[in-house]
Amino acid sequence: MHCSRLLSTTLAAFMVAGAVQAQTLHAVRAAVTDHTVGTVSVVDLMTGEVLSRFNTGSPGGLRHAAAPGQVSMAQGQAGRVDVVDLGVTVESHGDHSDLKLSAPRLIPAVAQGPKPSHVLGGDGRLASFFDGDGSVVVVGGGSTATLRANVPHHGLAYPFRSAAGARLMVSHAAAAGARPGGVVLLDEEAKELVRNDDCPMLHGEATSGRIIGLGCGNGVLLLNTRTQEFRKVPYPAGTENGRMVRNLIGGANYHLFVGDFGPEAVTILDPDAGHFAVVDLPARRVAFTLDPQRADALFALTEDGQLHRIDTLSGKIVASAAVVQRYSLEGGSAVARPRLSAAGGVVAITDPMRSRLLVLDAATLAPQREVALPGTPLHVLAVAASGERH
């Protein structure tokens, strides 16, 4: 009896010690590019520390890459795509996940070609579309494959996995330089399986659950990646000609898509109900974003410097705050304007005119910290992760 009690006490003490040793960590890091020079900085959004700054071929845009914790950087002038590993890795152990933090690193020139545009990750692969010659470079699984769209155009290639195996969705256009009008689905041998021609002026894409959404001139085209079936959700009645979704973001914890919709609105699409909610903004939109893991809130920055938090379930603006000075929309893409990214309960906003990155609380829009970045910070993409450390 005495030995049994002693053993139980020892085991209990060991379990308590083990529980104390396991610490839950939260990490939020962001990649930030510059408008005029080829650099990308990695910032710890929870501390404001600039962890790394890498030289790249030229300025470029950011997207999520194939692996969690990595982002891609398409550099049109340099004709290459780099990948930035933010140093955030989550390892699943069944009953819990471990979070490992490491130094960020640059993986240069994972794909090369003329005028890279849309770079999309899925199914453990990264597909880079090159507008200059219509080529598509797919990297993943230790191999690289190159194929071509029917003609050069401003297009996309989206890797995904269906019930029947790995697939690649590639846009097609009627003539070289024309806007794409549809997509084809290719198998692992690049054989055409399915074709859809009902997406005029195709631009903008995102994933929510098993659904890929595409912005079209006449609505949003939805692809069920498991069944490889398409369906179209038309825009609301009365939508004026030329008003369309051109950029999409998909939710992960909520099955929805958010997108732009003309200069003074955003839209929320319920793909299951086939319903659009159009949210009119009080001024012209500069940028918008969504945290896919917390997709109940959409954030939109208007040219008066106000940031608006929109409830995606009600379609209402629930909070607004002045965060930056006024940024005019005149001057086109030659003018650097703020960009947004949300992750892990914060919103990151670049402020190019003041060479800084702002970090706000996503729930209250209250400022948390300001990070000085040399030059003209432009694009930002944040990644969040949580896990235990033993």
Side-chain angles (χ1 to χ4, degrees):
M1 293 288 291
H2 175 75
C3 292
S4 176
R5 288 196 299 271
L6 179 61
L7 179 60
S8 298
T9 302
T10 302
L11 285 173
F14 178 79
M15 292 173 67
V16 170
V20 170
Q21 291 176 359
Q23 180 183 8
T24 300
L25 296 179
H26 305 284
V28 190
R29 292 181 175 182
V32 185
T33 67
D34 192 272
H35 179 60
T36 58
V37 298
T39 63
V40 58
S41 300
V42 179
V43 181
D44 185 328
L45 298 185
M46 301 188 73
T47 65
E49 180 183 1
V50 180
L51 302 174
S52 301
R53 184 176 173 89
F54 303 107
N55 292 322
T56 59
S58 69
L62 299 170
R63 290 178 179 264
H64 290 285
Q70 294 185 350
V71 300
S72 67
M73 182 177 176
Q75 303 156 58
Q77 297 174 22
R80 82 184 205 195
V81 176
D82 294 352
V83 168
V84 183
D85 189 324
L86 301 183
V88 179
T89 304
V90 177
E91 295 182 355
S92 176
H93 296 278
D95 61 336
H96 72 282
S97 295
D98 289 347
L99 176 63
K100 294 189 176 182
L101 302 179
S102 58
R105 62 192 180 100
L106 179 70
I107 308 170
V110 297
Q112 298 184 74
K115 298 177 65 176
S117 57
H118 291 222
V119 181
L120 303 171
D123 188 34
R125 296 174 290 160
L126 188 69
S128 303
F129 193 100
F130 294 89
D131 292 356
D133 61 1
S135 63
V136 178
V137 178
V138 183
V139 179
S143 64
T144 300
T146 302
L147 59 147
R148 291 187 184 276
N150 68 322
V151 292
H153 62 278
H154 182 55
L156 62 85
Y158 216 136
F160 66 93
R161 179 160 293 274
S162 73
R167 297 289 183 260
L168 184 69
M169 179 170 66
V170 181
S171 61
H172 61 78
R179 290 287 296 274
V183 294
V184 295
L185 305 187
L186 308 178
D187 66 11
E188 295 177 85
E189 284 72 46
K191 177 184 177 182
E192 183 176 321
L193 300 175
V194 181
R195 182 182 183 93
N196 186 289
D197 297 321
D198 186 23
C199 191
M201 306 294 289
L202 189 163
H203 197 278
E205 71 292 315
T207 299
S208 181
R210 293 177 176 173
I211 304 297
I212 295 176
L214 301 173
C216 312
N218 56 2
V220 172
L221 184 64
L222 302 176
L223 169 68
N224 185 315
T225 58
R226 185 167 183 82
T227 65
Q228 303 177 76
E229 296 176 339
F230 288 96
R231 62 188 176 93
K232 172 67 68 63
V233 180
Y235 294 131
T239 297
E240 61 267 28
N241 185 36
R243 195 180 189 196
M244 62 173 282
V245 168
R246 300 178 186 274
N247 296 280
L248 278 173
I249 308 174
N253 66 330
Y254 285 94
H255 198 199
L256 58 81
F257 294 95
V258 300
D260 53 354
F261 204 60
E264 296 184 16
V266 289
T267 187
I268 304 162
L269 169 61
D270 180 340
D272 298 320
H275 175 261
F276 277 102
V278 178
V279 183
D280 292 318
L281 301 172
R284 292 189 297 180
R285 185 193 62 256
V286 173
F288 75 99
T289 194
L290 176 84
D291 179 352
Q293 305 302 325
R294 305 182 184 194
D296 58 329
L298 160 65
F299 304 92
L301 180 72
T302 47
E303 66 178 330
D304 55 3
Q306 294 271 330
L307 181 66
H308 309 279
R309 187 178 191 270
I310 301 165
D311 186 324
T312 57
L313 304 183
S314 68
K316 304 293 185 182
I317 297 175
V318 294
S320 299
V323 293
V324 294
Q325 66 276 23
R326 180 181 179 85
Y327 273 88
S328 173
L329 289 176
E330 308 307 322
S333 60
V335 178
R337 300 180 187 86
R339 299 293 190 272
L340 312 177
S341 186
V346 300
V347 181
I349 306 176
T350 57
D351 189 358
M353 289 175 59
R354 297 189 178 179
S355 300
R356 62 179 183 167
L357 178 72
L358 303 176
V359 183
L360 311 179
D361 182 275
T364 65
L365 305 186
Q368 289 190 338
R369 58 190 53 87
E370 178 181 319
V371 182
L373 291 173
T376 312
L378 184 65
H379 296 285
V380 56
L381 185 55
V383 171
S386 298
E388 293 183 0
R389 181 175 65 183
H390 301 279

